[in-house]
Each structure stands twice: as structure tokens, then as C-alpha cells.
């Protein structure tokens, strides 16, 4: 219950504009619409426990509050940052008492990923028997942060980053509430939405700063940039953002999209990613996705690594950009990657087969008497420098693992392999 003094305390614009109905929440119609999963739950007044996963400022806390209101559940909010098992026990006891008189409880846990495994375990019996409806909010991938037992008892709903149109709706609501338009040119208004980077709460905080200015003159983008701070991009080097962006970079390279690859590289560096981690992935892409289609790819990756080690940031980051351009524009082949995978599979299936006797060295007389090295043909002593002998284990059929593409240097490699295949077939025919 708020006091007289609390009602007179300053209230942030974002809080004053907090939606009063689920229909007022922007950007999440895929979950809250009449035919959407959460919308159907509210209509039937049958809520299931859920995890709301999404970026900051997309409405997770507001949705939880409105779900409790829309289904007449007692709303118990907790923050995993400031709460422990003792706090949970108090909530569970209160929920059991409410349940005894016929009222349910919606427990909202903000930053639920901050709870450790033991704390997450504490939810299980109360979620299982319906004492509480758990609504957890997280900005981190639940697959990495929440225990499997909890995930099996709660549906995971992914909230979207607010788009440009959603942010414009919030701007208009703010102006209606303030009673006047913001002193911004059309271009500055676009820049303001870009500065928010999909975070509605951050946008309204910026609006609160701008609303204190005189209504004229209107700010252009440069003046706006001097006045307010751009939102720091979302990027956690140890969590999902790290894996999402490196995956985007790698797949852009594989797809030969040079400009997209440069964009993801820039995003990672702007987020503070360790350039050595990026260089390690670039080297992997050079051997996995370019391979022998361009043997210089791995040379370029290692040269970029060496250059960065010598120059450091920011000058050395240009070496990463140059490597990204080289790899993205190089011909692609994963033939070596696939060949090694098939060879490893055969090695695992065939066990400890001995090499054929004719290619074994015979340093002792006993070994020579046993047939070690017997029948070996020294390739350099042949006319073509190629004997065509079989080097697979005895008793196994010859296999083809490496199938070069028709791209880049592998086209030349394929010619060599085809030539040796013809010689091998000719030698086999001569032995018959």
C-alpha cells in the first residue's frame, strides 16, 4: 500500500506510462494476441508457469503484473539479485495459506537466471503441485542458465526486441502524456529511436531528458547526439550474445557475404570481444569452409593473427577486417572437413587393424622373415613416380573420403587425383 509521501515522490516517465492492459503492450502480439499462447491462457483464465526470455525494456515485468491482474492471482514479485532461499520460503508459505482459502499466487522472479541450481530446485515442488504459478524473467538463454527440471515444468516464451514502429508508438504515447511534441526534427526522431536500440524503457528515459528542453529550436541528429547518450549495444562476452554473433560472423563468411561478415565483426569488436577469440574462429573458417579451394586462406588467417599480436588494438583490428574480406571472397570447399570426418568414422569402426605387410619397415631379420616390407614398390623408382599400391589395411575395401570440389585450387587437385586413379586402375589391370 502506498503512503501519502510515496504518492508525492517523483515517478519516472517509463513507470507513469506502464501499460494497464495486455493489449497496450507493444511489440509482443505473437505472444499476447487473442490467438497467441499467452493471450489464450488469459482468456481461459488458466495460466501455466512460464519463462519470459527477452532483451531489457521489452515488457517482461509489465506482462507478469498484468497476467496476475487478468487472472485474479496474488502478485508476488522477487528479484533473484536481492533474494535467497529464505525469501522464497516466505513466499511459498504465504502462497500455501492463500491456496487454502481458494486464491492462487503468481510468483514473478526477475533475473531468474541469477538463482543457482539449489535455489532453482526449491521451486520444483511448489510449481509441480500448483501452489504457485511461476513467471520468470531473463535476458539470458534459459537453455544455458536454468535447470532442466524447471524448464520441463515451465513454457519458455521469447519476447522480441522492440522494432522501429513499436518505439514510435511509445514516443507518441509519451508526447500525449506530456501534452506537447518533442523538439526534434524528423531525422533526429529517427536517430532517437536508433539510440534506444530496441529498449522501450531506455527510450522513455531519453524522452524524459529531452522533454525538459525548450520547444524550439528543434534538435537535429548532431545536436541530439551531443545531448543524450546512445544505449550501449547488448553483448555479453560470456553468454548467448557471444555465441550468436560469432555464429553470424562464421555463417556470413561461409555464405560469401562480405558486407554482412564485416558488420558482425564490427559488432563483436564494439561489444568488447577478445580479438584473439575472433581470430581463432577465422582460422577455423579458413580450414573448415575454404580449405584447399584456396590454400592461402589459412596463411592469411595466421598472418592476421600475427599482425594483430604485433600491432594490438585498434590498429591491428584492420588485420581482422582484411582477413574477413579474404575469407568471405575466397572460393569455398568443405571437402577436407568431410573427408577427415569420414576417415575418423572408419577408424572408429574398424578398430586396431594392422597396415598391410608390404608397407611395414623391417629393421630386423626376424621381421623380414615374417614378410615385413615384402613386395613394397618404391614410388620414386617408377616411371610416373607412382606405384598404385594399396595402403589401406588388409581385408578392407578401398574407400574414397576426399572428394574435391570444382572450385578454386581444388579443381587442380581433382585433376591430380583423377590422374592417379587412372594409373592405379592400369596397375591393377596389369597385375591380373
Amino acid at each position: 500500500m502506498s503512503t501519502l509521501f510515496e504518492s508525492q515522490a517523483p515517478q519516472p516517465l517509463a513507470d507513469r506510462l506502464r501499460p494497464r492492459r495486455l493489449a497496450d503492450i507493444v511489440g509482443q502480439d505473437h505472444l499476447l494476441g487473442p490467438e497467441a499462447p499467452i493471450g489464450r491462457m488469459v482468456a481461459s483464465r488458466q495460466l501455466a508457469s512460464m519463462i519470459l526470455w527477452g532483451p531489457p525494456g521489452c515488457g517482461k515485468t509489465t506482462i507478469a503484473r498484468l497476467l496476475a491482474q487478468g487472472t485474479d492471482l496474488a502478485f508476488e514479485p522477487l528479484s533473484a539479485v536481492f533474494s535467497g532461499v529464505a525469501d522464497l520460503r516466505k513466499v511459498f508459505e504465504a502462497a500455501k495459506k492463500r491456496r487454502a482459502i481458494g486464491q492462487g499466487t503468481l510468483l514473478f522472479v526477475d533475473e531468474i537466471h541469477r538463482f543457482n541450481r539449489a535455489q532453482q530446485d526449491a521451486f520444483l515442488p511448489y510449481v509441480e503441485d500448483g501452489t504457485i504459478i511461476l513467471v520468470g524473467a531473463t535476458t539470458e538463454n534459459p537453455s544455458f542458465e536454468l535447470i532442466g527440471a524447471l524448464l520441463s515444468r515451465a513454457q519458455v516464451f521469447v519476447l522480441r526486441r522492440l522494432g522501429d514502429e513499436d518505439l514510435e508508438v511509445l514516443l507518441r504515447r509519451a508526447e500525449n502524456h506530456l501534452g506537447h511534441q518533442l523538439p526534434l526534427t524528423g531525422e533526429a526522431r529517427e536517430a532517437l529511436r536508433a539510440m534506444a536500440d530496441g529498449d522501450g524503457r531506455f527510450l522513455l528515459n531519453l524522452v524524459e531528458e529531452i522533454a525538459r528542453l525548450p520547444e524550439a529550436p528543434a534538435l537535429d541528429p548532431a545536436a541530439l547526439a551531443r545531448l543524450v547518450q546512445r544505449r550501449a549495444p547488448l553483448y555479453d562476452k560470456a553468454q548467448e550474445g557471444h555465441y550468436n554473433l560469432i555464429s553470424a560472423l562464421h555463417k556470413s563468411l561461409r555464405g560469401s557475404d562480405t558486407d554482412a561478415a564485416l558488420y558482425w565483426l564490427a559488432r563483436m569488436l564494439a561489444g568488447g570481444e577478445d580479438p584473439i577469440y575472433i581470430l581463432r574462429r577465422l582460422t577455423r573458417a579458413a580450414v573448415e569452409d575454404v580449405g584447399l579451394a584456396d590454400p592461402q586462406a589459412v596463411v592469411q588467417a595466421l598472418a592476421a593473427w600475427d599482425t594483430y599480436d604485433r600491432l594490438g588494438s585498434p590498429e591491428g583490428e584492420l588485420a581482422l577486417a582484411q582477413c574477413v574480406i579474404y575469407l568471405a571472397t575466397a572460393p569455398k570447399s568443405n571437402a577436407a572437413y568431410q573427408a577427415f570426418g569420414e576417415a575418423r568414422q572408419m577408424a572408429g569402426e574398424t578398430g586396431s587393424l594392422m597396415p598391410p605387410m608390404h608397407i611395414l619397415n623391417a629393421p630386423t631379420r626376424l621381421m623380414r622373415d615374417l614378410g615385413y616390407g615384402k613386395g613394397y614398390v618404391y614410388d620414386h623408382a617408377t616411371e610416373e613416380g607412382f606405384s598404385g599400391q594399396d595402403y589401406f589395411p588388409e581385408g578392407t575395401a578401398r574407400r574414397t573420403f576426399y572428394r574435391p570440389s570444382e572450385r578454386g585450387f581444388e579443381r587442380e587437385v581433382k585433376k591430380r587425383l583423377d590422374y592417379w586413379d587412372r594409373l592405379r586402375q592400369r596397375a591393377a589391370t596389369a597385375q591380373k
Side-chain angles (χ1 to χ4, degrees):
M1 179 183 295
S2 63
T3 67
L4 172 64
F5 298 107
E6 285 176 331
S7 65
Q8 294 174 342
Q11 189 180 17
L13 180 63
D15 199 43
R16 281 179 276 156
L17 290 178
R18 191 181 292 277
R20 302 291 187 261
R21 304 177 305 149
L22 284 173
D24 294 333
I25 295 176
V26 298
Q28 312 304 334
D29 288 347
H30 65 295
L31 297 178
L32 305 177
E35 299 303 318
I38 297 178
R40 289 197 302 268
M41 286 186 194
V42 175
S44 65
R45 300 176 67 81
Q46 294 290 323
L47 282 189
S49 290
M50 65 185 74
I51 304 297
L52 302 177
W53 171 28
C58 66
K60 297 185 290 294
T61 303
T62 300
I63 289 173
R65 287 184 180 277
L66 295 177
L67 287 178
Q69 291 177 19
T71 52
D72 296 325
L73 295 172
F75 184 69
E76 287 275 10
L78 279 181
S79 169
V81 177
F82 303 111
S83 306
V85 172
D87 301 290
L88 291 174
R89 287 199 188 103
K90 292 178 183 176
V91 171
F92 297 148
E93 287 303 315
K96 284 195 283 188
K97 291 177 181 177
R98 290 193 199 97
R99 192 181 188 195
I101 60 173
Q103 185 181 21
T105 300
L106 186 152
L107 171 58
F108 172 66
V109 182
D110 198 16
E111 308 275 359
I112 192 171
H113 60 277
R114 303 273 188 170
F115 275 146
N116 61 33
R117 179 172 291 273
Q119 291 169 318
Q120 292 180 38
D121 278 334
F123 291 107
L124 300 179
Y126 302 100
V127 172
E128 186 77 39
D129 68 9
T131 300
I132 61 167
I133 300 296
L134 173 65
V135 178
T138 178
T139 57
E140 305 295 341
N141 190 328
S143 302
F144 300 148
E145 305 297 335
L146 301 184
I147 61 174
L150 188 55
L151 288 175
S152 71
R153 291 164 172 81
Q155 298 184 51
V156 175
F157 295 117
V158 181
L159 279 74
R160 293 172 180 165
R161 173 183 180 275
L162 298 188
D164 195 62
E165 292 181 2
D166 302 321
L167 295 173
E168 178 59 27
V169 170
L170 294 183
L171 278 178
R172 290 175 185 158
R173 287 183 187 174
E175 289 173 329
N176 289 336
H177 178 80
L178 295 168
H180 62 82
Q181 285 200 320
L182 296 173
L184 300 171
T185 65
E187 292 81 4
R189 197 177 182 91
E190 290 180 17
L192 179 65
R193 297 194 299 268
M195 287 177 174
D197 194 23
D199 186 331
R201 181 170 52 246
F202 188 80
L203 176 75
L204 294 176
N205 290 341
L206 294 180
V207 168
E208 204 158 18
E209 287 186 55
I210 298 166
R212 300 189 187 103
L213 299 174
E215 294 186 25
L219 301 176
D220 62 15
L224 176 67
R226 289 192 296 268
L227 176 69
V228 298
Q229 181 65 45
R230 178 180 293 271
R231 182 185 183 281
L234 281 177
Y235 188 72
D236 187 336
K237 292 184 288 181
Q239 302 296 334
E240 200 205 2
H242 166 83
Y243 299 108
N244 283 349
L245 268 62
I246 197 64
S247 175
L249 172 59
H250 194 150
K251 289 181 173 65
S252 299
L253 292 174
R254 183 180 294 153
S256 300
D257 192 331
T258 308
D259 298 317
L262 285 170
Y263 169 77
W264 294 119
L265 171 67
R267 278 280 303 276
M268 295 188 80
L269 292 173
E273 182 58 77
D274 182 2
I276 300 302
Y277 173 78
I278 301 175
L279 284 160
R280 189 179 299 118
R281 181 58 74 100
L282 294 179
T283 306
R284 171 185 159 185
V287 295
E288 179 179 329
D289 295 296
V290 178
L292 289 173
D294 185 348
Q296 282 297 311
V298 69
V299 177
Q300 288 288 329
L302 294 174
W305 200 327
D306 187 47
T307 302
Y308 181 81
D309 280 343
R310 292 171 185 269
L311 292 180
S313 291
E315 294 87 352
E317 292 170 5
L318 183 58
L320 277 72
Q322 181 172 307
C323 180
V324 162
I325 294 170
Y326 191 97
L327 296 181
T329 56
K332 306 297 188 299
S333 171
N334 69 342
Y337 177 80
Q338 289 185 318
F340 186 51
E342 292 180 25
R344 292 180 68 170
Q345 182 179 353
M346 180 179 174
E349 292 170 351
T350 55
S352 304
L353 296 178
M354 285 287 290
M357 295 289 281
H358 68 274
I359 64 172
L360 297 179
N361 288 331
T364 68
R365 181 172 180 178
L366 173 62
M367 295 171 78
R368 287 194 296 273
D369 290 344
L370 290 174
Y372 280 57
K374 184 177 181 180
Y376 174 65
V377 178
Y378 185 55
D379 289 81
H380 294 293
T382 66
E383 182 179 351
E384 293 90 357
F386 179 82
S387 67
Q389 288 194 299
D390 187 9
Y391 301 99
F392 274 85
E394 291 182 358
T396 62
R398 179 173 184 79
R399 295 274 300 275
T400 298
F401 300 131
Y402 179 51
R403 294 174 285 274
S405 69
E406 292 285 355
R407 297 182 291 278
F409 180 71
E410 277 198 323
R411 186 181 296 112
E412 300 303 317
V413 175
K414 187 174 187 303
K415 292 177 183 177
R416 299 175 190 178
L417 292 177
D418 290 343
Y419 170 69
W420 287 325
D421 278 341
R422 288 194 298 271
L423 292 182
R424 189 178 289 110
Q425 291 169 12
R426 189 174 71 186
T429 301
Q431 290 172 5
K432 292 180 180 179

